[in-house]
Amino acid sequence: MVFSDLLFIYLFLPLCLLCYYITPNSTVRNGVLIIFSLLFYSFGEPVWVLLLVVSSAVDYLNGLFIERHRGKKSAVLGVIVSLVFNLGVLVLFKYSGFIVTNINALTGLSIDVPKFSPPVGVSFYTFQTISYTVDVYRGKAPVQHSFFKFLLYVSMFFQLVAGPIVRYTDISEQLGKRPITAEDLSAGFSRFAFGLGKKVIIANCVGEAADLFLGFDKLPSSVLSAWSGIILFTLQIYFDFSGYSDMAIGLGRMFGFNLTENFNYPYISRSATEFWRRWHISMGSFFRDYVYIPMGGNRRHQAVNLAVVWLLTGLWHGASWNFIIWGAYFGILVTAEKFFYGKALEKLPKFFSHLYLLIAVMFGWAIFYFEDLHALGSCLTGMFGGGNIPLIDDITVSRLEGICFVIIAAVILSCPVFPAVTNKLRAASDKSKGTAIAVTVVCDVLVIAVFLVSSLLLVKQTTYNPFLYFRF
């Protein structure tokens, strides 16, 4: 089940909220959330619920072990067990097929390739439990003595399948007691509605067109078609993933949780380094704090540390060579900016440094899109006019004309225009009670309109409603 699903929006969520809000205390509310979270997760493959519970139990016990052996060398065993178990789960369920396939290709063997699909969200919840045991060992997080509170931390359905990666330190107090206010419910619903609109109204529309442009047999139909496909996918992946993060944050607030932001308008960046401070913030900070800095960070072997982080970043996104190449590509960009031309880039006029970033990111998303490396080569060939393809073709122009208004809206909304407008409206409403009422009414009408339009589109979008990060 995904958030952009009518079953979730009109049945699962209202029922969960009703049961949650009528319960008398936080202990019972936690139980309601656990039950609904496990039910939500079971909509994928019910058997993976057992893995989720076992993973939670393992690191719950690791936390208790570390606390019991605090100050002793043996405490590190809790961290080792956590790393071995969680990374073992990732390798077994997410990468074993990739590893076996490549062993067969290199050796000529015929080892049976595992056929199962990886558990949904496994990369997210394993990282969360790893961060918990490491932080408990470091003394940065209090140990959780209640297994059910820890299970709630791991299984919360609104962040389970696609993040953001929530650290235990961020919500440890909220697991025990959290206020439930009408303001939280209203603000949470507004955030959810806008995230749903980003996903359904924009991401699905441009994504469907991107697949048409990039679903070629041998070469794109024209240079314009190749570039259009990559540009549209660049917009799709941002609005898809950031929209889902907005929905997760909004849902969390409805239940009294304050989750961390995961995107900060990454496409306004002027370098690859800045881009990765703004894109999937929770993942970037995880690799920084639990891999890069422990390996030495900026103090020693910086280039090696960066290489390891970006190899892991690529692998985290998928068990395929294109993701490894994609991670290496951004690793090279970030390293080159740090050691060679980063300062020169800062001195360039904003237009040119911004253009550099956009072009660099689009080539990165081209690598990300094509798991078939031959198709990737064909796309890159087409982007530069190879293969004697025409510059423009009528079908591409016609398709672009049909979604031109959505593209314009996507470009505008990928910039911090909306926050700037809302800040000005808030400043004006502070000076006048009448203005404040008008602003509130306009915002409420906009939220309802976005929600209803998204719902209507979901009724029609019976075939195309993917979620790109669902597989991670």
Side-chain angles (χ1 to χ4, degrees):
M1 188 189 297
V2 295
F3 299 158
S4 55
D5 184 283
L6 293 174
L7 178 65
F8 174 82
I9 296 169
Y10 287 100
L11 180 60
F12 182 91
L13 181 59
L15 186 60
C16 181
L17 285 169
L18 176 63
C19 294
Y20 184 81
Y21 274 83
I22 64 174
T23 50
N25 56 59
S26 58
T27 301
V28 181
R29 292 190 189 108
N30 284 351
V32 169
L33 273 182
I34 290 173
I35 291 170
F36 274 89
S37 294
L38 296 181
L39 178 63
F40 176 90
Y41 197 61
S42 70
F43 270 79
E45 288 288 343
V47 67
W48 297 136
V49 173
L50 179 61
L51 177 64
L52 175 69
V53 174
V54 170
S55 296
S56 301
V58 168
D59 281 311
Y60 167 73
L61 294 173
N62 282 328
L64 295 178
F65 178 87
I66 292 169
E67 183 189 40
R68 189 175 296 113
H69 294 80
R70 179 77 62 192
K72 301 177 183 178
K73 291 183 179 180
S74 56
V76 75
L77 289 175
V79 177
I80 294 172
V81 171
S82 177
L83 290 172
V84 170
F85 177 82
N86 286 291
L87 296 180
V89 166
L90 281 177
V91 170
L92 175 62
F93 291 105
K94 188 171 179 179
Y95 301 103
S96 57
F98 176 69
I99 293 170
V100 170
T101 298
N102 282 278
I103 289 175
N104 288 343
L106 289 172
T107 63
L109 298 174
S110 299
I111 304 173
D112 290 337
V113 179
K115 301 296 183 182
F116 51 75
S117 299
V120 173
V122 65
S123 295
F124 288 93
Y125 71 73
T126 51
F127 273 26
Q128 288 186 189
T129 56
I130 287 173
S131 71
Y132 166 76
T133 53
V134 172
D135 284 347
V136 169
Y137 178 77
R138 291 173 174 175
K140 293 183 177 180
V143 72
Q144 178 55 257
H145 292 276
S146 168
F147 173 69
F148 290 102
K149 287 182 181 178
F150 188 75
L151 179 61
L152 174 61
Y153 160 65
V154 178
S155 67
M156 291 185 298
F157 72 86
F158 38 85
Q159 56 80 49
L160 176 63
V161 298
I165 299 171
V166 179
R167 300 192 191 185
Y168 180 77
T169 51
D170 294 333
I171 64 167
S172 58
E173 294 183 3
Q174 299 169 44
L175 291 170
K177 189 176 182 180
R178 51 196 174 273
I180 298 177
T181 65
E183 181 183 357
D184 283 332
L185 185 60
S186 174
F189 177 76
S190 297
R191 185 71 180 265
F192 176 83
F194 283 123
L196 182 66
K198 288 168 74 172
K199 161 61 182 164
V200 177
I201 300 173
I202 297 179
N204 284 2
C205 180
V206 297
E208 188 170 15
D211 286 349
L212 290 173
F213 289 132
L214 300 176
F216 48 80
D217 292 326
K218 294 183 179 179
L219 285 170
S221 57
S222 67
V223 175
L224 177 63
S225 176
W227 279 99
S228 296
I230 295 304
I231 291 171
L232 290 173
F233 179 68
T234 298
L235 293 172
Q236 179 196 9
I237 195 168
Y238 168 68
F239 282 97
D240 192 278
F241 194 16
S242 70
Y244 209 97
S245 291
D246 286 341
M247 287 188 276
I249 292 169
L251 288 168
R253 188 161 182 187
M254 289 186 206
F255 294 100
F257 289 93
N258 293 305
L259 305 184
T260 57
E261 295 293 335
N262 212 21
F263 287 86
N264 184 22
Y265 296 98
Y267 290 156
I268 68 169
S269 303
R270 298 175 58 192
S271 66
T273 304
E274 182 186 358
F275 174 82
W276 281 103
R277 292 194 189 109
R278 294 173 174 270
W279 179 279
H280 203 345
I281 298 168
S282 62
M283 182 199 69
S285 62
F286 179 92
F287 280 120
R288 179 195 65 208
D289 295 341
Y290 299 101
V291 179
Y292 182 71
I293 292 176
M295 289 183 65
N298 298 335
R299 303 186 308 276
R300 62 180 185 275
H301 311 303
Q302 189 176 7
V304 175
N305 300 340
L306 286 170
V308 170
V309 164
W310 285 102
L311 172 64
L312 294 177
T313 300
L315 278 171
W316 182 88
H317 281 83
S320 177
W321 280 107
N322 69 303
F323 293 119
I324 296 174
I325 296 170
W326 175 78
Y329 168 80
F330 272 109
I332 291 169
L333 280 181
V334 170
T335 303
E337 289 175 3
K338 186 173 289 290
F339 290 107
F340 299 106
Y341 60 83
K343 292 182 178 179
L345 198 61
E346 292 175 0
K347 296 177 182 178
L348 284 177
K350 289 184 178 180
F351 173 81
F352 292 106
S353 56
H354 184 58
L355 182 63
Y356 151 81
L357 180 277
L358 288 178
I359 293 173
V361 165
M362 282 190 285
F363 279 111
W365 290 137
I367 300 170
F368 192 95
Y369 182 89
F370 292 102
E371 292 190 22
D372 185 336
L373 298 182
H374 293 292
L376 170 62
S378 298
C379 181
L380 295 176
T381 299
M383 291 170 71
F384 290 98
N388 295 320
I389 62 174
L391 185 63
I392 301 173
D393 67 290
D394 293 338
I395 295 177
T396 296
V397 172
S398 177
R399 287 173 178 168
L400 291 175
E401 288 176 347
I403 59 170
C404 61
F405 291 110
V406 178
I407 295 173
I408 293 170
V411 171
I412 293 173
L413 292 174
S414 65
C415 302
V417 175
F418 188 73
V421 172
T422 54
N423 288 338
K424 288 185 177 181
L425 290 175
R426 288 195 189 107
S429 64
D430 290 340
K431 299 177 182 178
S432 169
K433 186 175 181 180
T435 304
I437 295 173
V439 168
T440 301
V441 171
V442 170
C443 290
D444 289 344
V445 169
L446 182 59
V447 168
I448 294 171
V450 170
F451 182 76
L452 291 178
V453 170
S454 300
S455 298
L456 290 172
L457 287 175
L458 285 174
V459 173
K460 295 181 179 180
Q461 291 173 347
T462 55
T463 56
Y464 193 88
N465 186 29
F467 172 53
L468 299 180
Y469 268 71
F470 194 72
R471 56 187 167 177
F472 305 135

